[in-house]
């Protein structure tokens, strides 16, 4: 997908993310409980097309974990350039391994008490979906013609 100006599509995805969390008030509550305080007016400004405010990545990740969907990060991954260099496959595979390790680390932390509640289950589902996307990107890097070899 070729999207040179992120303002419109990123704001639409932000609006969709906030709606998936139950609206501005619920999204603000979740941020305060699971990440850090983020006010309703600030959340609202971040979804206004053409406005200068964007959600910080920690808030995006918090809200995506809560709703269980990689709405913004998935769109960002799709917007990445398709041209791949030989070293990019190495980087994509490293992302897969690092993402898998982070997932296992988080799973261990969640299961330290022997239970997984609904919010933790949603967080794990979002993390798994993110890891699956990393695997897809690695596969895409493998399938994309190499533009230039990387020196050894």
């Amino acid at each position: 997908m070729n999207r040179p100006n992120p303002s419109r599509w990123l704001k639409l995805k932000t609006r969709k993310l906030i709606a998936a969390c139950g609206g501005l008030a619920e999204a603000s509550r979740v941020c305060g409980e699971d990440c850090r305080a983020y006010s309703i007016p600030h959340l609202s400004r971040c979804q206004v097309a053409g406005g200068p405010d964007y959600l910080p990545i920690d808030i995006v990740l918090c809200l995506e974990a809560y709703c269980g969907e990689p709405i913004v990060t998935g769109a960002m991954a799709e917007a990445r350039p398709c041209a791949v260099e030989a070293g990019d496959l190495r980087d994509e595979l490293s992302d897969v391994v690092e993402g898998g390790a982070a997932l296992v680390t988080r799973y261990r932390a969640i299961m330290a008490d022997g239970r997984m509640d609904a919010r933790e289950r949603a967080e794990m589902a979002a993390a798994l979906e993110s890891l699956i996307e990393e695997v897809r990107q690695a596969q895409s890097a493998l399938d994309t013609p190499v533009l230039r070899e990387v020196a050894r």
Side-chain angles (χ1 to χ4, degrees), residues 35-141:
C35 185
R36 63 183 165 99
Y38 214 73
S39 70
I40 292 171
H42 206 159
L43 283 169
S44 182
R45 285 192 300 271
C46 291
Q47 62 183 352
V48 175
D53 295 331
Y54 291 89
L55 287 179
I57 196 65
D58 62 326
I59 298 296
V60 169
L61 295 174
C62 174
L63 295 177
E64 287 184 343
Y66 179 73
C67 76
E69 295 180 60
I71 295 169
V72 172
T73 58
M76 291 171 66
E78 287 178 22
R80 290 178 5 167
C82 293
V84 175
E85 294 184 11
D88 290 343
L89 177 59
R90 176 197 61 231
D91 294 341
E92 292 295 345
L93 291 173
S94 295
D95 289 346
V96 169
V97 171
E98 290 166 8
L103 177 68
V104 170
T105 299
R106 182 62 185 135
Y107 176 75
R108 283 183 182 158
I110 287 172
M111 293 306 294
D113 63 0
R115 295 175 293 160
M116 183 183 297
D117 64 28
R119 188 176 335 152
E120 291 167 333
R121 189 173 303 281
E123 179 183 345
M124 290 304 297
L128 279 169
E129 193 59 42
S130 178
L131 183 59
I132 290 167
E133 182 57 33
E134 290 290 346
V135 170
R136 286 186 185 121
Q137 290 171 15
Q139 182 65 47
S140 177

